DNA sequence: ACATATGGTCAAGCTACTTGACCATATGTA
DNA sequence: TACATATGGTCAAGTAGCTTGACCATATGT
């Protein structure tokens, strides 16, 4: 592979990820939720059993302070609650509220909608293959484009 | 595809894109260039013949003011120059300097290096397929994760 | 010729992050 | 036990990189 093709791959990845993220957020907003893209990805970590701020920070690839601020925001908007952690008195368990679950489902619907458009181009099987490859490449990386 | 799998695809895309972007930037910095990830993607638009600020803004998915600020930064660091536009006296053509070309090549090398690691996992052919699929999905989208 | 559109910059403001300091609790070690 | 250190979390302040709004110069259409 030529060097320039590697950069092209990076550009395509960013373009696809950005487009998908935007679609999801638009869909969530269209369904009546006040949010920004980070919410959906926070929710995937908080569901189904909640998570600590530190775990969320790792998942999102930000400092725990930034994650804490995000949780503040989510609490203010009624999507999550801070509860006492059952096994560690220092920690607090952040869990989804009813409305948080609704918003999560809205994000999933919007994501499915966006991916459906890709299936129309590539076919459903190819999209599944694509997902499989991506998961094998970046299985545990933080969900954060950071640029 | 289940709804939650669509979100998983989005997460995998973001994780892969983020990891690749970080690798590229680290590689560029390691080669002695002072930069941030946006530079590389700006360079792909500026090479080979330059571009206007407005074109760059579209490519990066930001306002032209933001693109202009980025160009300021690139000028200050010696990577690009503003020249008179040959066909439009309002516009200015932003072109790479010699050092800008060096930095571009460094970014390409770093990108190739990162992609090589993926080839070790998936095989070179699969990576090429991956790139092909992504290009077909998001051919012209702005290079910007925006979340 | 004039009205409107477009390329670009300047200025100001804001969002989402960072670093640094700090407290409370947990865990390892003598 | 007592103490040192590590970890989870928050508060506060600073900042990078974007935004919106105003404006000028040039181009384009009528």
């Amino acid at each position: 592979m030529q060097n320039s093709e590697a950069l092209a791959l990076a550009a395509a990845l960013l373009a696809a990820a950005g487009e998908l993220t935007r679609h999801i957020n638009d869909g969530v907003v269209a369904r009546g939720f006040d949010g920004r893209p980070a919410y959906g990805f926070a929710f995937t970590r908080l569901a189904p059993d909640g998570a600590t701020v530190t775990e969320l920070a790792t998942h999102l690839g930000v400092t725990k302070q930034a994650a804490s601020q995000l949780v503040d925001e989510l609490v203010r908007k009624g999507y999550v609650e801070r509860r006492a952690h059952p096994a560690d008195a220092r920690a607090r368990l952040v869990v989804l509220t009813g409305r948080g679950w609704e918003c999560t489902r809205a994000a999933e619907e919007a994501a499915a909608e966006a991916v459906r458009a890709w299936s129309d181009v590539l076919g459903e099987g190819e999209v599944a293959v694509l997902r499989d490859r991506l998961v094998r490449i970046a299985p545990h990386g933080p969900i954060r484009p950071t640029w």
Side-chain angles (χ1 to χ4, degrees), chain A:
Chain A
M1 180 182 280
Q2 289 184 345
N3 284 347
S4 60
E5 292 181 11
L7 263 187
L9 172 54
L13 263 175
L14 283 172
E19 190 176 305
L20 183 51
T21 302
R22 188 166 24 81
H23 264 99
I24 293 172
N25 193 54
D26 289 351
V28 169
V29 170
R31 284 169 177 80
F33 296 90
D34 175 25
R36 55 186 175 104
Y39 289 5
F41 299 106
F43 292 167
T44 62
R45 184 65 185 80
L46 297 177
D49 298 319
T52 65
V53 163
T54 297
E55 288 166 346
L56 189 57
T58 301
H59 178 69
L60 296 177
V62 298
T63 59
K64 57 185 182 175
Q65 291 92 324
S68 187
Q69 290 169 14
L70 177 62
V71 170
D72 286 346
E73 208 177 308
L74 292 171
V75 168
R76 208 180 316 125
K77 294 186 177 169
Y79 295 137
V80 307
E81 285 176 358
R82 282 188 172 96
R83 294 195 182 157
H85 195 285
D88 188 334
R90 295 170 305 176
R92 318 182 66 176
L93 197 60
V94 180
V95 297
L96 290 171
T97 62
R99 180 144 183 87
W101 279 105
E102 288 172 25
C103 190
T104 302
R105 278 190 293 273
E108 287 172 347
E109 283 172 25
E113 215 172 79
V115 170
R116 203 167 301 131
W118 292 358
S119 295
D120 291 344
V121 177
L122 297 183
E124 204 162 324
E126 286 296 333
V127 172
V129 169
L130 187 68
R131 189 185 65 245
D132 170 64
R133 299 286 187 274
L134 288 170
V135 168
R136 282 167 59 193
I137 283 173
H140 303 305
I143 304 302
R144 202 197 176 194
T146 316
W147 83 316

